[in-house]
Amino acid sequence: MGPHAGAGQMADTGHDDRREPSSFGARRGMPLAQRIRAADSYGLLLALIVASLIGTAVAGESAAGRVAVVVLQGSVLIYAIWTSRAGRRVLRGSLIAVPAVIVAAAVLTGNDSDSAVAAVRAVSTLLSFVAVGSIVRRIGAHPRVDSATVLGALCIYLLIGTLFASLFGTIAALGDVPFFVGRGEPRFVDFLYFSFVTMTTVGYGDFTAATDLGRMLAVSQAVIGQLYLVSVVALLIGNVGRERLRSE
């Protein structure tokens, strides 16, 4: 394989350590199409995640809105896996799972079956976990802490929020009692809102987990979110530009 191998070739095994330009300076002159295809395009991924969060709120609870939310989430997860060069098997699996979830959401949107909703949200939880793992693996292999490393870490933080939102939604669909106190049928945007309010420890109090499992998961997310910000993100920002030490 030559030194200028394409992005598709790099994705075959997921073990190619050669990296495309990742700093803002190196990417500034890149055409948008090339930046989209490039590895470590975490700035674009971050923008896509934020757009999906806003889109989830705008989409509403109509049949088309619910499908649109799944499409937005699926696009984010596929791109996260793609730009992290997770490997051919992982990418193929996501390219099969995401369209399957979209079709299921479209077919079952008028059914509102608890088991169907739980299945869709469980797959979303799993894909979010895979996307987070793919980014962790990728930025962990960066030889130098640069802008792409920091942006990737921020993407992980937001994806953890969506992961917990999908997990809360799965538990709510499978549970016999409402997930929130005083709210019988929460929307997915409610779980998303509760997830980020919990992770940032804002604690508005308008949504409160009703079950012991929900409360313990909320506590776990709050702890994970705070530890992640004050340790991982802070450490990366403090070491921007430094080479990583590698054992022989």
Side-chain angles (χ1 to χ4, degrees):
M1 187 184 299
H4 301 288
Q9 290 174 293
M10 289 181 64
D12 285 349
T13 63
H15 295 289
D16 197 327
D17 290 331
R18 287 170 294 185
R19 298 181 58 218
E20 302 166 46
S22 59
S23 65
F24 285 125
R27 290 175 179 266
R28 191 171 297 152
M30 275 189 181
L32 180 60
Q34 185 178 352
R35 291 180 64 183
I36 291 173
R37 293 193 301 269
D40 301 323
S41 292
Y42 293 121
L44 292 177
L45 176 60
L46 188 65
L48 187 59
I49 294 172
V50 173
S52 73
L53 295 176
I54 297 172
T56 299
V58 173
E61 284 298 300
S62 65
R66 293 183 182 183
V67 175
V69 168
V70 176
V71 171
L72 286 170
Q73 289 182 322
S75 300
V76 167
L77 298 176
I78 287 178
Y79 190 68
I81 292 169
W82 160 257
T83 200
S84 298
R85 299 299 189 259
R88 179 176 293 181
R89 290 183 180 179
V90 176
L91 182 60
R92 283 180 176 175
S94 66
L95 289 174
I96 294 172
V98 169
V101 170
I102 293 172
V103 171
V107 171
L108 301 170
T109 190
N111 187 8
D112 285 336
S113 165
D114 288 341
S115 58
V117 172
V120 170
R121 290 176 176 169
V123 174
S124 297
T125 304
L126 177 61
L127 287 172
S128 297
F129 184 81
V130 172
V132 168
S134 299
I135 300 175
V136 169
R137 176 183 174 278
R138 181 69 183 183
I139 67 175
H142 286 182
R144 178 191 295 270
V145 178
D146 56 20
S147 59
T149 313
V150 175
L151 288 171
L154 295 177
C155 289
I156 291 172
Y157 184 77
L158 294 183
L159 286 174
I160 290 174
T162 60
L163 187 157
F164 271 92
S166 296
L167 180 58
F168 294 147
T170 304
I171 294 171
L174 294 175
D176 296 327
V177 297
F179 186 85
F180 295 121
V181 175
R183 296 179 183 267
E185 296 183 2
R187 304 164 298 164
F188 181 72
V189 70
D190 294 328
F191 293 114
L192 204 56
Y193 169 78
F194 175 72
S195 176
F196 280 98
V197 167
T198 298
M199 190 162 64
T200 55
T201 65
V202 174
Y204 291 131
D206 48 350
F207 283 90
T208 306
T211 65
D212 291 339
L213 177 59
R215 292 168 182 164
M216 290 304 101
L217 285 174
V219 169
S220 299
Q221 183 183 13
V223 172
I224 290 171
Q226 291 305 297
L227 290 178
Y228 185 82
L229 285 179
V230 302
S231 58
V232 177
V233 175
L235 185 63
L236 289 176
I237 292 176
N239 286 277
V240 170
R242 295 184 181 180
E243 296 282 347
R244 295 260 181 96
L245 293 177
R246 294 182 177 273
S247 57
E248 296 296 335

